[in-house]
Amino acid sequence: ISLDRLPIKRLESIEENGAERFPSDVNYDDKRVSLIRRIDFAWALWQWKGMVENLQLAHQELSVIIDLINTVEANDAVTVAGMTKPKPMPNELLSDLAVSTATKLQSYRHLGKYFKQSAKALEQKVNREARFYGALIRLQRNWKVKRQRSNEGFTIDLSDSSLYDPTRPSTLSTIRVEHDSAGMLAINLPQDSWYSLRFGFVGSEKLSVSDEESVKETHSLLREVHKSIFAEQLFDMLNREAFSEGVGFSISGIRENFLEMSIGQGASLFVSLYPSGKPSRASYDIYLQQIFHEHVFGKAKDQNSGLLDHFCLSLAHRIFSTRVVVQLESVVCKVPYLHLISHPTWNSRTSSWTVCMTVPPSIIPQGKTQFRTKVVVKDDCISVEAECTPNVVGLLKSSSCNLFSMNKYECDLADLPVIILQQVTSQIVCWLLEEARTVGTKASRDFLSLSLEIVEGERVSLVAQVNPEDAKGCISWWLVMENGEERKRKLLGHLSLDVLYSVLMDLINLCG
């Protein structure tokens, strides 16, 4: 930071436009004459006029006396006796002293009045300069203040060498500093050169409102954004401290923007960060500023993609991921034994969720009781990764089933609900197959069905039917009896996992 020294020598005057005038260098005699000339002697003019008149009268009287003396000296018969000046009386001395004192006092009063007026004007001028330079010094602590050449005032330099494109400086890089007759400091902004970033979606602009309403809405929006930032920071702090060693609590559950803790016997609490509304333009505006700082000043500066490209892709991903969540929630809310969990990815163009299903306690020792189907969205591509679901080879081998297998599928948004329901149904069939095999029953599976052999040539099957538009449960079950070429079907409807497990046990008992 470079600071220009302020001048030490005194100012002669400061004009209204801020121009400073300094006195020229003079010697001591000229300076003394100049100071004398600044004294106002107008009050003494009337006394000087009276003095001249008295001197003229005295001159006339003196002329008469001189003529008398010359006449006496020329005449021998006239003699002049010696005369002594009479001693003045005390009252005459006091009178003369009083007149002299009064005259001097009057002169001092006029001189004091002049000095008082000059001091008041000088004090006002000093106060104005002190106010201006005081404010200017405070500005120098945070801004680069420069003095213009030829005493044309001061400017504030806002140029930044770390700009994204230093070859295109802003028109606001140099701000002129001015002050009025009262000494108040002000900055002179160029007209029509003060911009702010405006962000919005095409086709969703609001109708024009008054300035007062616009200001109120802006204040309200800024307060909401401010509270949102504070809530996110607070929740992040709680998340970090929750994973540190603590003696008063233990983590019992965690999801995106949700933290559950146990604090005692049978007591628990949760802290959640919930959206205050739909994704607003303010949040995207903040996000745009965030990635700008990351791109220009942070690690993202080394990335290949441009700032606008990254922002638009991230924004498009967020809109698309919102649609994906709507589809997932529409499925999960209809199937009572499914739960949806969101996972933070810490990536603006990647989102992840898990559809969880917990099955009833199994007769299998240390058997699998929870099945997961993971949905990952990168930009606008959806991938589904599910446990216990057969791959292409598994579909050809109906008897194959691996509780710990993981298979990945790609799908689009329209097919996502059907894909999720198929993966969940396949997991249920895999779970029932393992339960049947544990008790020694000969069983086989297809993608969405489980078959048991009753006797030679007779089979009974549990067949699942998925329908995302079914508001009662999306997954319904059929009981199919096969005896040679004869086939009978019976609709069992929407079954819970407990009831489905009981149906399986009944069929196993039927098979002996």
Side-chain angles (χ1 to χ4, degrees):
I1 301 176
S2 61
L3 300 178
D4 296 334
R5 290 181 174 272
L6 297 177
I8 299 178
K9 59 184 181 179
R10 299 182 181 273
L11 293 174
E12 184 177 41
S13 64
I14 298 180
E15 300 179 358
E16 293 183 356
N17 60 358
E20 300 174 348
R21 303 297 180 184
F22 296 92
S24 58
D25 296 334
V26 295
N27 54 27
Y28 176 77
D29 294 336
D30 294 339
K31 190 174 183 179
R32 183 176 60 180
V33 172
S34 177
L35 292 175
I36 294 174
R37 288 176 177 175
R38 294 175 63 180
I39 300 176
D40 186 10
F41 291 97
W43 57 274
L45 292 180
W46 62 275
Q47 294 182 356
W48 176 254
K49 185 177 180 180
M51 184 181 295
V52 171
E53 293 177 354
N54 292 334
L55 288 176
Q56 289 177 352
L57 294 176
H59 183 269
Q60 294 176 3
E61 293 178 358
L62 184 61
S63 298
V64 173
I65 294 173
I66 292 175
D67 292 340
L68 178 61
I69 293 174
N70 292 332
T71 302
V72 172
E73 289 179 350
N75 191 353
D76 298 334
V78 179
T79 59
V80 179
M83 298 178 63
T84 59
K85 185 177 180 179
K87 186 177 180 180
M89 301 298 291
N91 58 345
E92 295 178 348
L93 290 175
L94 291 176
S95 178
D96 294 339
L97 182 60
V99 172
S100 176
T101 303
T103 302
K104 291 183 179 180
L105 180 60
Q106 187 69 17
S107 302
Y108 287 144
R109 285 178 178 175
H110 287 288
L111 187 61
K113 183 178 181 180
Y114 170 77
F115 283 147
K116 186 176 181 180
Q117 294 175 349
S118 300
K120 186 176 181 180
L122 181 61
E123 182 181 5
Q124 292 177 351
K125 183 177 181 180
V126 171
N127 289 338
R128 289 195 301 267
E129 296 301 317
R131 177 181 296 178
F132 172 74
Y133 284 102
L136 195 64
I137 291 174
R138 289 194 294 270
L139 281 178
Q140 281 182 328
R141 299 174 184 174
N142 304 96
W143 305 98
K144 190 188 299 182
V145 179
K146 292 184 178 181
R147 176 185 287 276
Q148 293 290 93
R149 295 181 178 179
S150 304
N151 295 328
E152 294 181 358
F154 299 89
T155 59
I156 297 177
D157 187 6
L158 299 179
S159 60
D160 190 357
S161 60
S162 61
L163 289 174
Y164 183 69
D165 189 1
T167 61
R168 299 178 61 186
S170 172
T171 56
L172 293 174
S173 297
T174 302
I175 304 298
R176 185 177 179 85
V177 179
E178 299 178 348
H179 67 290
D180 53 15
S181 58
M184 297 297 293
L185 182 144
I187 56 176
N188 186 12
L189 292 176
Q191 294 292 333
D192 300 330
S193 298
W194 195 5
Y195 299 103
S196 61
L197 189 65
R198 183 181 180 185
F199 175 82
F201 292 101
V202 177
S204 61
E205 295 294 330
K206 293 183 178 180
L207 298 176
S208 59
V209 295
S210 64
D211 294 342
E212 185 68 19
E213 292 175 347
S214 176
V215 171
K216 289 182 179 180
E217 291 180 359
T218 303
H219 279 297
S220 178
L221 179 61
L222 291 176
R223 283 194 297 269
E224 294 298 324
V225 174
H226 204 179
K227 290 192 296 184
S228 176
I229 295 174
F230 174 78
E232 290 178 356
Q233 292 175 344
L234 179 59
F235 185 81
D236 183 64
M237 182 186 69
L238 294 177
N239 252 324
R240 291 196 304 268
E241 293 186 359
F243 286 95
S244 62
E245 295 183 1
V247 295
F249 64 91
S250 61
I251 299 177
S252 57
I254 185 171
R255 299 191 299 272
E256 183 181 16
N257 298 337
F258 183 88
L259 181 65
E260 184 177 306
M261 294 168 287
S262 298
I263 58 175
Q265 295 294 332
S268 62
L269 59 87
F270 74 93
V271 179
S272 65
L273 190 67
Y274 63 95
S276 57
K278 296 181 179 180
S280 63
R281 285 176 285 183
S283 63
Y284 293 125
D285 190 9
I286 294 173
Y287 175 68
L288 177 60
Q289 297 179 31
Q290 173 192 348
I291 64 173
F292 170 76
H293 283 281
E294 291 178 354
H295 189 86
V296 177
F297 305 108
K299 298 180 180 178
K301 195 172 184 179
D302 300 330
Q303 294 181 356
N304 296 326
S305 61
L307 174 122
L308 185 58
D309 182 50
H310 179 69
F311 171 71
C312 291
L313 289 175
S314 301
L315 186 57
H317 166 78
R318 188 169 299 186
I319 297 173
F320 182 75
S321 64
T322 303
R323 298 174 182 173
V324 173
V325 172
V326 172
Q327 296 293 335
L328 293 175
E329 290 178 344
S330 67
V331 171
V332 171
C333 69
K334 297 175 184 178
V335 182
Y337 44 83
L338 295 183
H339 304 278
L340 181 64
I341 300 176
S342 299
H343 302 285
T345 60
W346 316 118
N347 191 316
S348 61
R349 290 162 57 180
T350 302
S351 301
S352 177
W353 305 269
T354 297
V355 177
C356 291
M357 178 183 63
T358 303
V359 298
S362 174
I363 61 175
I364 306 175
Q366 298 180 352
K368 190 172 182 62
T369 60
Q370 194 173 62
F371 297 86
R372 294 180 176 87
T373 302
K374 187 175 182 180
V375 180
V376 178
V377 177
K378 293 184 178 180
D379 289 335
D380 57 351
C381 299
I382 305 174
S383 63
V384 179
E385 187 174 357
E387 296 177 323
C388 301
T389 54
N391 51 25
V392 177
V393 178
L395 291 177
L396 299 177
K397 298 180 180 180
S398 60
S399 61
S400 65
C401 182
N402 186 356
L403 291 176
F404 303 99
S405 63
M406 296 290 294
N407 294 291
K408 191 174 183 179
Y409 309 89
E410 304 289 337
C411 70
D412 54 21
L413 183 61
D415 298 332
L416 180 61
V418 175
I419 294 295
I420 294 297
L421 290 173
Q422 289 177 348
Q423 304 309 309
V424 171
T425 307
S426 178
Q427 292 168 349
I428 296 175
V429 172
C430 185
W431 163 61
L432 295 176
L433 176 62
E434 291 300 317
E435 294 290 336
R437 287 178 175 177
T438 302
V439 297
T441 304
K442 187 178 181 180
S444 62
R445 65 163 293 183
D446 199 348
F447 184 42
L448 300 180
S449 65
L450 173 67
S451 299
L452 302 175
E453 186 174 351
I454 301 176
V455 294
E456 188 69 25
E458 293 185 8
R459 299 178 64 84
V460 61
S461 303
L462 279 173
V463 181
Q465 180 181 356
V466 298
N467 181 14
E469 304 300 328
D470 187 357
K472 296 182 179 180
C474 296
I475 303 176
S476 57
W477 295 89
W478 292 78
L479 184 63
V480 180
M481 300 289 295
E482 295 180 279
N483 184 4
E485 295 181 358
E486 185 180 0
R487 187 175 185 183
K488 297 180 180 180
R489 298 197 310 168
K490 182 180 180 180
L491 179 61
L492 301 179
H494 307 89
L495 304 179
S496 66
L497 296 182
D498 291 325
V499 175
L500 196 59
Y501 184 79
S502 299
V503 171
L504 176 64
M505 292 296 105
D506 293 340
L507 292 177
I508 292 174
N509 292 331
L510 179 64
C511 297

